[in-house]
Amino acid sequence: MVEGIEYTLVGVDRENAEERFAQITCVSFVKGKRITLSTGALKPLEELEVGEKIITRDKGIQEIRWIGQSTMRATGDFAPVVIKAGALNNMHDLVVSPEHRLFVYQRQDKLGTGRAETLVRAKHLVNGKDVYRLDDEFVEYYQLLLDEHQIIYAEGIAAESLLFDQRTQSALPDEAKRGISLNKSSYRDVLEVDEDKLCSINAVNLLWQASRG
């Protein structure tokens, strides 16, 4: 907001504010992108069904517990991130929410993290070329919840499933939350690369090199 300019408040939604915040913090894939099934086939998000089996990195084949769908404005900080084909050795473009964390295994420690396994937020990889913001009017997001927080595969890129925690629980219906434990933290949090290691370099190019060995 700019000093001296008059603004008009067009509405306040107090009842659904917590739910909307939860939707924003949910890691999401954009409609049309494909998830790797247990058979190895790729299936668009909008065609997936609850109970369908997909491949995870650490726990083999797992069933989808819940599928969320939401339509949001796709501008500014909420605009999704496009990872162009080839940027992370992916065959096709992947489009995800800005906070979505991607898993990259470094065969060479190009980022200087001292470890091979890394998680990076999509928004920290934006370079305006291979990875950029898709600034549009609206975007249709899909969220995938499993029994546990997992690394799954979308368009050939390893990415996290929805983490069920205090931030995201308000976005889930009661039937999705029944029988699942709230995650206060995830062991994968220690794998996340700090933003200060990514902001001054072309991180996506280094990760491309690191993952190829």
Side-chain angles (χ1 to χ4, degrees):
M1 301 182 74
V2 180
E3 184 178 355
I5 296 179
E6 292 186 1
Y7 295 88
T8 300
L9 181 64
V10 296
V12 176
D13 185 355
R14 297 184 183 277
E15 292 184 1
N16 298 313
E18 185 177 2
E19 180 179 349
R20 294 299 293 170
F21 172 74
Q23 290 175 346
I24 291 170
T25 58
C26 284
V27 296
S28 308
F29 301 94
V30 169
K31 180 181 179 179
K33 299 303 129 182
R34 300 173 301 170
I35 303 298
T36 303
L37 304 180
S38 59
T39 61
L42 299 177
K43 192 171 185 178
L45 285 149
E46 61 272 22
E47 296 179 13
L48 292 174
E49 298 178 358
V50 171
E52 200 153 11
K53 296 179 179 180
I54 62 176
I55 292 178
T56 70
R57 183 181 185 274
D58 300 311
K59 290 293 183 69
I61 297 171
Q62 297 289 316
E63 290 187 358
I64 298 173
R65 180 187 186 95
W66 174 78
I67 301 173
Q69 186 276 332
S70 57
T71 300
M72 302 183 66
R73 295 196 65 85
T75 57
D77 291 340
F78 304 118
V81 175
V82 179
I83 302 159
K84 291 182 64 176
L88 287 175
N89 301 306
N90 46 311
M91 292 292 292
H92 301 279
D93 292 358
L94 177 64
V95 191
V96 296
S97 57
E99 298 295 334
H100 210 134
R101 295 187 297 182
L102 311 174
F103 177 92
V104 179
Y105 184 87
Q106 296 188 97
R107 298 180 185 276
Q108 300 178 44
D109 187 11
K110 294 288 187 179
L111 293 182
T113 60
R115 59 180 179 272
E117 297 182 335
T118 56
L119 279 175
V120 291
R121 294 188 186 272
K123 67 179 183 179
H124 296 157
L125 296 177
V126 172
N127 61 11
K129 181 182 177 182
D130 304 301
V131 183
Y132 61 91
R133 293 279 193 152
L134 182 62
D135 204 334
D136 205 349
E137 290 187 1
F138 294 95
V139 62
E140 193 168 347
Y141 277 135
Y142 282 80
Q143 303 86 32
L144 298 181
L145 178 70
L146 310 182
D147 285 339
E148 296 178 348
H149 185 220
Q150 299 290 345
I151 299 298
I152 62 178
Y153 296 90
E155 298 295 0
I157 292 181
E160 65 178 330
S161 65
L162 176 61
L163 175 63
F164 178 53
D165 62 8
Q166 290 182 334
R167 298 176 304 166
T168 60
Q169 63 176 332
S170 297
L172 275 64
D174 291 339
E175 61 269 21
K177 296 182 283 189
R178 192 171 296 118
I180 189 172
S181 299
L182 193 67
N183 290 284
K184 295 182 179 179
S185 63
S186 170
Y187 78 91
R188 294 190 181 88
D189 292 343
V190 302
L191 302 180
E192 185 171 346
V193 180
D194 294 335
E195 182 180 0
D196 59 5
K197 284 187 176 290
L198 302 169
C199 62
S200 62
I201 59 174
N202 188 342
V204 101
N205 184 52
L206 286 182
L207 288 171
W208 178 83
Q209 296 177 41
S211 64
R212 292 175 67 88

